[in-house]
Amino acid sequence: MTDGVGDNRAIWARLAGLTPARIGLGRAGSGLPTRAVLRFGLDHAQARDAVHAPLEAAALAGRIADLGFPTLTVASQAPDRATYLRRPDLGRRLAAEDRVALQGEADGADLAVVVADGLSARAVHENAAPVLAAFGTHAGKAGWTLAPVVIARQARVALGDDIGQALGVRAVAVLIGERPGLSSPDSLGIYLTVGPRPGRSDAERNCISNVRSAGLAPDLAAFKLAWLLARALSLGLTGVTLKDESDRALAARGPARPLPDADGTSD
Amino acid sequence: MAYRHVVGPRTHAFADLATLMAKATPVRSGDRLAGIAAGSAEENAAARWCLAEVPLAEILARPLIPYEADDVTRLILDTHDAAAFAEISHLTVGDFREFLLTAAPETLARIAPGITPEIAAAVSKIMRNQDLISVARKCRVVTRFRNTIGLPGTLAVRLQPNHPTDDAQGITAAILDGLAYGCGDAVIGINPASDSVQAIGDLLQLLDAVIQRHAIPTQACVLTHVTTTLAAMERGLPVDLVFQSIAGTEKANASFGVTLSMLKEAHAAASALKRGTIGDNCMYFETGQGSALSADAHHGIDQQTLEARAYAVARPFRPLLVNTVVGFIGPEYLYDGKEIIRAGLEDHFCGKLMGVPLGVDVCYTNHAEADQDDMDTLLTLLGAAGCTYIMGVPGADDVMLNYQSTSFHDSLYLREVLGLRRAPEFEAWLHGLGLTDGAGALIQGAETPLLSSAPGLAA
């Protein structure tokens, strides 16, 4: 038990199990213990590597097709990773030939889902298909029409505006790899925008962040996306004026959301 | 009006003040991305010579964005203190640098309301890092809510106990960890994963309960959009500080979904709650170079000048805390450790010169060319510069926002090497609890009172 006054070490170990944050590390003087310094260095190395890993578009398209969604693959105007990192403007614009191809598919659907590499292809590889699988059920119940799922390379969030406009959809949801964290190289973000067109500002989007197995579970993220989309389509807007109150619907629907993995990243 | 500077056989011409200031800025990736950076090292140096000869009165007379076109420009000019400016109105930018290096702290405090962001930015561009440090160190900006922040020889820490799903127990555990390292005097501030009023309310109540249970002389904040905080106040939830991200142009603020009138409304609502015990500074703003360009709202102005304009947005609200999140935005704006370090010192200097209580989130992302060594360097320089506060993130790894900031340990390091104390009320609280000795140093294993008073959590 941990009620002994002198047994702080056990209490810290217990507290550390409640969060993936790096707590209870101890100290050496004012500094970190050696093990914590080395652990940090290794995690930083892995996150750096995640930024530069390429999107496996063909394999991803196969998995999404297996879920019953037709797919298209496009690229932004950023030709490579080095350019992508320095030139976000190029990552927000569709390659010209891909815009023409998407315009050929335009059929006025309610929603286009874009699966984009962003800053972590790993996040997309691990989480995009589970979100789509769960979201498909909600979309079916709501009767929404969906454009083909667009897989996008070297993409920023706003590429969805260009894609959504080319496809002529009412709304676009961009599933994109977030900047890798030291403890979360696998985090997916979802950005919903009604009336997509180039020039939309970030205040006109709703965001669901930290979608991953140890964060917001993919099926809960899909529920939130469906909740937001239903309101967005009926109100005709997204952004700061559309408040995410899906937690209430979730609480009414069933048990509270689960705690994150108790072991977190501590070892 | 065009500006010129002759270097040997070449004449460098700059079409207007915005161009001149952009070309004079130490080169960084964001200004290159905007297509406004100096094209050569010589052009960069020539622009600084030229800028040094520009009278401060001329900068005041030539708004970079027209008065009619931008509410931030209107705010800057409508609130400008001409009497305070009179003392420096005869100086050029180059003279002003020397004036600042010579000035006493009282002089800097007296002229602060007369300094526009464009004047602060202009002089910073011809200053070396050591100039930015030595002048900022002389600026005194003191604010109060439940403790006193910004006294000479002190450094405060925002305890940042973020959790990827806003889990109450996880957040509480991180708060206890931070308190045990003597952090949290600036604010205990959570970046929430959710923006629902329901979830924000739960976090506000959690923070209020922790502060009350331990009788901590500090303040709480949940860093959500100002409209959400307004909604929370309408529901009677315990709001100490109103948070908002702000930028230096009307259009950039619009991209954040925020207007000056919204900020006024929120400031009035939070003031009316009277939750501060020793002061009424109840606003908390965050900024960062590159946000205006990111929102396509930069008007051809360099990102460092626009950042200083964000401090002009903050200033009339007499904020408790303002911090630049210097390396958060990514390598397209600040490419590497060198650019992040320079920007952190510039931002801190400009804010302090304008009389704003500037802290710095010393940070970087995993797609920037930077690492912990760069952060140690910037942290140490900012400590020397008298930075108001830094972030305290467990192990420097923010598991919600996915970036690396400064840790609880980093604050201990800085206190040790520079002899910096905490906010006095907070330090007295730590000492009363037995966590620190009379000099403010942590006592090993003394955090027991903190832990034993959270039995439900630790059991």
Side-chain angles (χ1 to χ4, degrees), chain B residues 194-215:
Chain B
S194 167
D195 62 359
S196 77
V197 181
Q198 174 91 15
I200 300 304
D202 291 347
L203 293 175
L204 285 166
Q205 283 173 331
L206 183 159
L207 290 175
D208 192 46
V210 169
I211 287 173
Q212 290 203 34
R213 186 166 66 223
H214 296 287

PDB file of all heavy atoms in Angstrom, chain B residues 194-215:
ATOM      1  N   SER B 194     -10.480  18.631 -25.842  1.00  0.00           N
ATOM      2  CA  SER B 194     -11.844  18.899 -26.299  1.00  0.00           C
ATOM      3  C   SER B 194     -12.121  20.396 -26.226  1.00  0.00           C
ATOM      4  O   SER B 194     -11.519  21.107 -25.429  1.00  0.00           O
ATOM      5  CB  SER B 194     -12.846  18.172 -25.407  1.00  0.00           C
ATOM      6  OG  SER B 194     -14.152  18.651 -25.639  1.00  0.00           O
ATOM      7  N   ASP B 195     -13.058  20.880 -27.051  1.00  0.00           N
ATOM      8  CA  ASP B 195     -13.456  22.277 -26.892  1.00  0.00           C
ATOM      9  C   ASP B 195     -14.938  22.381 -26.514  1.00  0.00           C
ATOM     10  O   ASP B 195     -15.543  23.432 -26.647  1.00  0.00           O
ATOM     11  CB  ASP B 195     -13.143  23.106 -28.148  1.00  0.00           C
ATOM     12  CG  ASP B 195     -13.901  22.625 -29.366  1.00  0.00           C
ATOM     13  OD1 ASP B 195     -14.661  21.646 -29.251  1.00  0.00           O
ATOM     14  OD2 ASP B 195     -13.739  23.241 -30.432  1.00  0.00           O
ATOM     15  N   SER B 196     -15.515  21.297 -26.030  1.00  0.00           N
ATOM     16  CA  SER B 196     -16.917  21.371 -25.616  1.00  0.00           C
ATOM     17  C   SER B 196     -17.014  22.084 -24.270  1.00  0.00           C
ATOM     18  O   SER B 196     -16.132  21.959 -23.416  1.00  0.00           O
ATOM     19  CB  SER B 196     -17.524  19.970 -25.510  1.00  0.00           C
ATOM     20  OG  SER B 196     -17.113  19.331 -24.337  1.00  0.00           O
ATOM     21  N   VAL B 197     -18.069  22.851 -24.099  1.00  0.00           N
ATOM     22  CA  VAL B 197     -18.237  23.615 -22.861  1.00  0.00           C
ATOM     23  C   VAL B 197     -18.316  22.666 -21.666  1.00  0.00           C
ATOM     24  O   VAL B 197     -17.797  22.947 -20.586  1.00  0.00           O
ATOM     25  CB  VAL B 197     -19.496  24.506 -22.946  1.00  0.00           C
ATOM     26  CG1 VAL B 197     -19.642  25.323 -21.668  1.00  0.00           C
ATOM     27  CG2 VAL B 197     -19.408  25.427 -24.138  1.00  0.00           C
ATOM     28  N   GLN B 198     -18.947  21.535 -21.893  1.00  0.00           N
ATOM     29  CA  GLN B 198     -19.054  20.522 -20.837  1.00  0.00           C
ATOM     30  C   GLN B 198     -17.674  20.088 -20.333  1.00  0.00           C
ATOM     31  O   GLN B 198     -17.390  20.109 -19.135  1.00  0.00           O
ATOM     32  CB  GLN B 198     -19.797  19.307 -21.427  1.00  0.00           C
ATOM     33  CG  GLN B 198     -19.870  18.104 -20.526  1.00  0.00           C
ATOM     34  CD  GLN B 198     -21.125  18.129 -19.684  1.00  0.00           C
ATOM     35  OE1 GLN B 198     -22.053  18.891 -19.970  1.00  0.00           O
ATOM     36  NE2 GLN B 198     -21.151  17.322 -18.650  1.00  0.00           N
ATOM     37  N   ALA B 199     -16.823  19.716 -21.289  1.00  0.00           N
ATOM     38  CA  ALA B 199     -15.490  19.234 -20.916  1.00  0.00           C
ATOM     39  C   ALA B 199     -14.660  20.353 -20.298  1.00  0.00           C
ATOM     40  O   ALA B 199     -13.922  20.140 -19.326  1.00  0.00           O
ATOM     41  CB  ALA B 199     -14.778  18.665 -22.150  1.00  0.00           C
ATOM     42  N   ILE B 200     -14.780  21.562 -20.854  1.00  0.00           N
ATOM     43  CA  ILE B 200     -14.036  22.707 -20.315  1.00  0.00           C
ATOM     44  C   ILE B 200     -14.472  22.977 -18.873  1.00  0.00           C
ATOM     45  O   ILE B 200     -13.652  23.251 -17.993  1.00  0.00           O
ATOM     46  CB  ILE B 200     -14.273  23.973 -21.189  1.00  0.00           C
ATOM     47  CG1 ILE B 200     -13.814  23.742 -22.624  1.00  0.00           C
ATOM     48  CG2 ILE B 200     -13.593  25.200 -20.576  1.00  0.00           C
ATOM     49  CD1 ILE B 200     -12.399  23.323 -22.800  1.00  0.00           C
ATOM     50  N   GLY B 201     -15.766  22.874 -18.631  1.00  0.00           N
ATOM     51  CA  GLY B 201     -16.295  23.090 -17.285  1.00  0.00           C
ATOM     52  C   GLY B 201     -15.732  22.090 -16.293  1.00  0.00           C
ATOM     53  O   GLY B 201     -15.368  22.449 -15.164  1.00  0.00           O
ATOM     54  N   ASP B 202     -15.633  20.825 -16.706  1.00  0.00           N
ATOM     55  CA  ASP B 202     -15.068  19.798 -15.822  1.00  0.00           C
ATOM     56  C   ASP B 202     -13.626  20.154 -15.444  1.00  0.00           C
ATOM     57  O   ASP B 202     -13.218  20.015 -14.287  1.00  0.00           O
ATOM     58  CB  ASP B 202     -15.089  18.427 -16.506  1.00  0.00           C
ATOM     59  CG  ASP B 202     -16.504  17.890 -16.685  1.00  0.00           C
ATOM     60  OD1 ASP B 202     -17.434  18.455 -16.072  1.00  0.00           O
ATOM     61  OD2 ASP B 202     -16.679  16.921 -17.448  1.00  0.00           O
ATOM     62  N   LEU B 203     -12.861  20.625 -16.432  1.00  0.00           N
ATOM     63  CA  LEU B 203     -11.456  20.956 -16.170  1.00  0.00           C
ATOM     64  C   LEU B 203     -11.341  22.188 -15.268  1.00  0.00           C
ATOM     65  O   LEU B 203     -10.484  22.240 -14.381  1.00  0.00           O
ATOM     66  CB  LEU B 203     -10.718  21.196 -17.493  1.00  0.00           C
ATOM     67  CG  LEU B 203     -10.571  19.954 -18.387  1.00  0.00           C
ATOM     68  CD1 LEU B 203      -9.943  20.332 -19.722  1.00  0.00           C
ATOM     69  CD2 LEU B 203      -9.731  18.884 -17.695  1.00  0.00           C
ATOM     70  N   LEU B 204     -12.194  23.176 -15.506  1.00  0.00           N
ATOM     71  CA  LEU B 204     -12.172  24.374 -14.659  1.00  0.00           C
ATOM     72  C   LEU B 204     -12.448  24.006 -13.206  1.00  0.00           C
ATOM     73  O   LEU B 204     -11.795  24.511 -12.281  1.00  0.00           O
ATOM     74  CB  LEU B 204     -13.217  25.390 -15.150  1.00  0.00           C
ATOM     75  CG  LEU B 204     -12.846  26.158 -16.425  1.00  0.00           C
ATOM     76  CD1 LEU B 204     -14.071  26.867 -16.997  1.00  0.00           C
ATOM     77  CD2 LEU B 204     -11.737  27.168 -16.138  1.00  0.00           C
ATOM     78  N   GLN B 205     -13.391  23.099 -13.005  1.00  0.00           N
ATOM     79  CA  GLN B 205     -13.725  22.713 -11.633  1.00  0.00           C
ATOM     80  C   GLN B 205     -12.616  21.892 -10.996  1.00  0.00           C
ATOM     81  O   GLN B 205     -12.335  22.023  -9.805  1.00  0.00           O
ATOM     82  CB  GLN B 205     -15.072  21.994 -11.622  1.00  0.00           C
ATOM     83  CG  GLN B 205     -16.192  23.027 -11.754  1.00  0.00           C
ATOM     84  CD  GLN B 205     -17.569  22.443 -11.919  1.00  0.00           C
ATOM     85  OE1 GLN B 205     -17.718  21.355 -12.451  1.00  0.00           O
ATOM     86  NE2 GLN B 205     -18.578  23.187 -11.489  1.00  0.00           N
ATOM     87  N   LEU B 206     -11.972  21.064 -11.826  1.00  0.00           N
ATOM     88  CA  LEU B 206     -10.841  20.279 -11.318  1.00  0.00           C
ATOM     89  C   LEU B 206      -9.734  21.211 -10.812  1.00  0.00           C
ATOM     90  O   LEU B 206      -9.214  21.053  -9.702  1.00  0.00           O
ATOM     91  CB  LEU B 206     -10.310  19.384 -12.449  1.00  0.00           C
ATOM     92  CG  LEU B 206      -9.158  18.411 -12.153  1.00  0.00           C
ATOM     93  CD1 LEU B 206      -9.155  17.309 -13.209  1.00  0.00           C
ATOM     94  CD2 LEU B 206      -7.797  19.067 -12.116  1.00  0.00           C
ATOM     95  N   LEU B 207      -9.381  22.206 -11.638  1.00  0.00           N
ATOM     96  CA  LEU B 207      -8.298  23.124 -11.264  1.00  0.00           C
ATOM     97  C   LEU B 207      -8.668  23.935 -10.026  1.00  0.00           C
ATOM     98  O   LEU B 207      -7.846  24.126  -9.120  1.00  0.00           O
ATOM     99  CB  LEU B 207      -7.987  24.066 -12.433  1.00  0.00           C
ATOM    100  CG  LEU B 207      -7.309  23.420 -13.643  1.00  0.00           C
ATOM    101  CD1 LEU B 207      -7.162  24.432 -14.779  1.00  0.00           C
ATOM    102  CD2 LEU B 207      -5.941  22.872 -13.259  1.00  0.00           C
ATOM    103  N   ASP B 208      -9.911  24.403  -9.997  1.00  0.00           N
ATOM    104  CA  ASP B 208     -10.352  25.197  -8.854  1.00  0.00           C
ATOM    105  C   ASP B 208     -10.272  24.378  -7.563  1.00  0.00           C
ATOM    106  O   ASP B 208      -9.852  24.879  -6.516  1.00  0.00           O
ATOM    107  CB  ASP B 208     -11.786  25.682  -9.110  1.00  0.00           C
ATOM    108  CG  ASP B 208     -12.216  26.747  -8.115  1.00  0.00           C
ATOM    109  OD1 ASP B 208     -11.422  27.679  -7.870  1.00  0.00           O
ATOM    110  OD2 ASP B 208     -13.328  26.642  -7.573  1.00  0.00           O
ATOM    111  N   ALA B 209     -10.645  23.102  -7.676  1.00  0.00           N
ATOM    112  CA  ALA B 209     -10.623  22.237  -6.491  1.00  0.00           C
ATOM    113  C   ALA B 209      -9.192  22.013  -5.994  1.00  0.00           C
ATOM    114  O   ALA B 209      -8.932  22.049  -4.791  1.00  0.00           O
ATOM    115  CB  ALA B 209     -11.287  20.890  -6.811  1.00  0.00           C
ATOM    116  N   VAL B 210      -8.251  21.793  -6.924  1.00  0.00           N
ATOM    117  CA  VAL B 210      -6.853  21.577  -6.526  1.00  0.00           C
ATOM    118  C   VAL B 210      -6.305  22.821  -5.824  1.00  0.00           C
ATOM    119  O   VAL B 210      -5.676  22.736  -4.766  1.00  0.00           O
ATOM    120  CB  VAL B 210      -5.976  21.235  -7.758  1.00  0.00           C
ATOM    121  CG1 VAL B 210      -4.497  21.276  -7.390  1.00  0.00           C
ATOM    122  CG2 VAL B 210      -6.338  19.860  -8.305  1.00  0.00           C
ATOM    123  N   ILE B 211      -6.569  23.982  -6.415  1.00  0.00           N
ATOM    124  CA  ILE B 211      -6.049  25.233  -5.843  1.00  0.00           C
ATOM    125  C   ILE B 211      -6.652  25.481  -4.454  1.00  0.00           C
ATOM    126  O   ILE B 211      -5.950  25.873  -3.518  1.00  0.00           O
ATOM    127  CB  ILE B 211      -6.317  26.409  -6.809  1.00  0.00           C
ATOM    128  CG1 ILE B 211      -5.379  26.296  -8.015  1.00  0.00           C
ATOM    129  CG2 ILE B 211      -6.149  27.746  -6.107  1.00  0.00           C
ATOM    130  CD1 ILE B 211      -5.649  27.293  -9.119  1.00  0.00           C
ATOM    131  N   GLN B 212      -7.952  25.203  -4.324  1.00  0.00           N
ATOM    132  CA  GLN B 212      -8.589  25.420  -3.023  1.00  0.00           C
ATOM    133  C   GLN B 212      -8.136  24.408  -1.979  1.00  0.00           C
ATOM    134  O   GLN B 212      -7.885  24.755  -0.824  1.00  0.00           O
ATOM    135  CB  GLN B 212     -10.112  25.365  -3.175  1.00  0.00           C
ATOM    136  CG  GLN B 212     -10.645  26.566  -3.939  1.00  0.00           C
ATOM    137  CD  GLN B 212     -12.102  26.837  -3.646  1.00  0.00           C
ATOM    138  OE1 GLN B 212     -12.561  26.622  -2.534  1.00  0.00           O
ATOM    139  NE2 GLN B 212     -12.819  27.306  -4.643  1.00  0.00           N
ATOM    140  N   ARG B 213      -8.008  23.131  -2.425  1.00  0.00           N
ATOM    141  CA  ARG B 213      -7.661  22.074  -1.463  1.00  0.00           C
ATOM    142  C   ARG B 213      -6.303  22.333  -0.837  1.00  0.00           C
ATOM    143  O   ARG B 213      -6.100  22.131   0.353  1.00  0.00           O
ATOM    144  CB  ARG B 213      -7.670  20.714  -2.168  1.00  0.00           C
ATOM    145  CG  ARG B 213      -7.470  19.533  -1.234  1.00  0.00           C
ATOM    146  CD  ARG B 213      -7.838  18.226  -1.931  1.00  0.00           C
ATOM    147  NE  ARG B 213      -6.931  17.928  -3.013  1.00  0.00           N
ATOM    148  CZ  ARG B 213      -7.306  17.468  -4.208  1.00  0.00           C
ATOM    149  NH1 ARG B 213      -8.576  17.263  -4.479  1.00  0.00           N
ATOM    150  NH2 ARG B 213      -6.416  17.208  -5.135  1.00  0.00           N
ATOM    151  N   HIS B 214      -5.359  22.795  -1.674  1.00  0.00           N
ATOM    152  CA  HIS B 214      -4.010  23.025  -1.153  1.00  0.00           C
ATOM    153  C   HIS B 214      -3.755  24.490  -0.819  1.00  0.00           C
ATOM    154  O   HIS B 214      -2.634  24.838  -0.467  1.00  0.00           O
ATOM    155  CB  HIS B 214      -2.977  22.532  -2.167  1.00  0.00           C
ATOM    156  CG  HIS B 214      -3.033  21.053  -2.410  1.00  0.00           C
ATOM    157  ND1 HIS B 214      -2.597  20.133  -1.490  1.00  0.00           N
ATOM    158  CD2 HIS B 214      -3.505  20.335  -3.452  1.00  0.00           C
ATOM    159  CE1 HIS B 214      -2.786  18.912  -1.960  1.00  0.00           C
ATOM    160  NE2 HIS B 214      -3.341  19.004  -3.151  1.00  0.00           N
ATOM    161  N   ALA B 215      -4.788  25.323  -0.983  1.00  0.00           N
ATOM    162  CA  ALA B 215      -4.655  26.772  -0.703  1.00  0.00           C
ATOM    163  C   ALA B 215      -3.443  27.361  -1.417  1.00  0.00           C
ATOM    164  O   ALA B 215      -2.600  28.032  -0.818  1.00  0.00           O
ATOM    165  CB  ALA B 215      -4.582  27.022   0.804  1.00  0.00           C
TER     166      ALA B 215
END
